[in-house]
Amino acid sequence: MSDVTSTHSAQSRRVREGTWRDAVLDNGSVVSIALFFLVVCVIFSVATDAFLTSPNLLNILRQSAPLLIVAAAMTFVITTGGIDLSVGSVLALVATLSATLLQLGLPWPAVILAMLALGALLGAIQGYFVAYEGIPAFIVTLAGLSVIRGVALLITGGYSIPIEPGSPFTVLGRAWLLGVPAPALIALAILAIAYIAFNETPFGRYVTGIGANAEAVRRAGVNTRLTTLFV
């Protein structure tokens, strides 16, 4: 009986080891990035005592919030097999117009909604050329990068646009909630929404399918052009 038990335990252990090994091999790119991240953290921790302090980590969270939001959106784009080179220029234009409209006295909620609409419009215009005109995303977004950044530069004239320190728009960016920077919480909420949309909705499955085999998804009855436009 003990021999049977030991044999079963050994087999179970080998199965677990094989499962972990397969998981690592199947997600090699993710594992390599995680290892690189850990190595960088160790290096900075050794180089300075301030790296792992609470203020520094919270500051990194605050500064990383915009990048996390953009990364969540770019996940959908890249999964379809596309690319968006204009995302930085869109951010620059949105930030420029936000500051300009706030200086003109527009309410900050209206400014936020208007800039969200502008970002969606710019994405839809470029998405139309990719989805319906068949122009490669690299070409479309490269052109968009130049045009949109040029417009932002034209508006600013190469100078920063100040915002009133007491503006609710500024306060929102500097606020704290439960000891965590508000921008970080907003980014985490958007990441959660993106995760659910990507993994738990038909839209997310369509996006994954388009990246794997767009023609097969189209033959299954999915409007791949419209899905690509929304992405």
Side-chain angles (χ1 to χ4, degrees):
M1 184 67 179
S2 60
D3 293 339
V4 174
T5 303
S6 60
T7 302
H8 179 71
S9 300
Q11 290 176 345
S12 300
R13 186 164 54 254
R14 284 195 296 270
V15 169
R16 288 195 298 270
E17 291 175 354
T19 302
W20 278 103
R21 190 182 302 110
D22 293 340
V24 171
L25 293 176
D26 292 340
N27 300 277
S29 58
V30 176
V31 173
S32 61
I33 293 174
L35 290 176
F36 177 77
F37 176 75
L38 290 175
V39 170
V40 170
C41 289
V42 170
I43 292 174
F44 280 108
S45 300
V46 173
T48 173
D49 295 334
F51 180 74
L52 290 180
T53 60
S54 177
N56 184 60
L57 294 178
L58 291 174
N59 186 47
I60 292 175
L61 272 179
R62 182 192 297 278
Q63 294 178 351
S64 300
L67 183 60
L68 290 174
I69 295 173
V70 171
M74 284 295 293
T75 299
F76 290 84
V77 176
I78 295 174
T79 302
T80 62
I83 191 67
D84 188 353
L85 302 177
S86 67
V87 61
S89 298
V90 173
L91 284 175
L93 179 60
V94 166
T96 297
L97 289 177
S98 297
T100 302
L101 294 177
L102 287 171
Q103 277 195 340
L104 294 176
L106 269 69
W108 66 270
V111 172
I112 292 177
L113 292 176
M115 293 304 100
L116 288 174
L118 175 62
L121 176 62
L122 293 174
I125 292 173
Q126 296 183 89
Y128 170 81
F129 287 105
V130 174
Y132 289 91
E133 298 299 330
I135 304 175
F138 184 91
I139 302 299
V140 173
T141 57
L142 181 61
L145 179 153
S146 301
V147 173
I148 296 170
R149 187 167 292 276
V151 173
L153 182 61
L154 181 64
I155 294 173
T156 63
Y159 297 95
S160 61
I161 302 176
I163 301 177
E164 289 294 332
S167 168
F169 193 87
T170 305
V171 173
L172 179 64
R174 298 177 178 175
W176 293 75
L177 185 62
L178 302 176
V180 180
L185 294 176
I186 295 173
L188 291 176
I190 292 176
L191 283 176
I193 294 172
Y195 177 85
I196 294 172
F198 190 81
N199 293 282
E200 305 296 337
T201 66
F203 178 76
R205 290 190 286 272
Y206 297 160
V207 168
T208 303
I210 290 173
N213 192 330
E215 181 61 21
V217 175
R218 186 189 68 81
R219 290 177 180 271
V222 177
N223 190 336
T224 55
R225 289 183 173 181
L226 185 61
T227 302
T228 303
L229 175 63
F230 274 113
V231 171

